[in-house]
Amino acid sequence: MDTFQDKLTRIAAERDRLARGEASMREDALAELERINAEIESLEQKKESLEALLGLEDSSTRAGRGQIVQLCLRALSSASEGMTSAEVRDWIEADAPGTRLQSVPSTLSRLINQGRLRRDEAGRYFVV
């Protein structure tokens, strides 16, 4: 028969094993998210090249790597009551007209995963 201490030891070991598994899954998910974001960016660059080749160039400019993050953070810092993804996009379009902003939602999600933003139940984002 197990003693109370043995049971506590087994429970603690199981809790540690689960925590390690959860941390590992989170790291894997974040790595996959980064891989997908990089793939999306690569596909967007290929699309732009093909559009240029076909004479279908868009007059809008594409935000550079990291620039969209800074624009999102600036937009959210300007609003103490937070903003929805659409409001962030509208703010950036007003601040940087002509910038293509398809990646605002994924950028906001990535910033949440990095702990730089939080999102309330109404879908509003806030700088942490």
Side-chain angles (χ1 to χ4, degrees), residues 16-114:
D16 290 344
R17 184 188 68 75
L18 291 172
R20 284 191 306 275
E22 183 180 327
S24 175
M25 286 187 339
R26 181 175 171 78
E27 288 174 15
D28 292 346
L30 286 173
E32 180 69 4
L33 180 61
E34 287 298 319
R35 186 194 65 74
I36 289 169
N37 283 331
E39 188 174 329
I40 288 169
E41 184 155 326
S42 172
L43 289 171
E44 287 175 350
Q45 289 173 348
K46 288 178 184 177
K47 178 183 172 254
E48 288 173 4
S49 296
L50 289 172
E51 286 173 344
L53 178 68
L54 296 171
L56 303 173
E57 282 191 85
D58 191 349
S59 62
S60 62
T61 58
R62 189 166 163 270
R65 192 143 183 74
Q67 182 184 7
I68 193 73
V69 169
Q70 294 307 314
L71 289 169
C72 286
L73 290 172
R74 250 185 33 220
L76 291 166
S77 294
S78 73
S80 60
E81 70 280 354
M83 293 178 154
T84 64
S85 178
E87 290 170 335
V88 171
R89 176 188 222 106
D90 292 344
W91 187 96
I92 294 171
E93 285 176 346
D95 188 64
T99 301
R100 292 195 327 211
L101 301 168
Q102 292 89 345
S103 63
V104 168
S106 63
T107 299
L108 295 173
S109 294
R110 191 169 57 249
L111 289 169
I112 286 174
N113 289 334
Q114 294 171 353

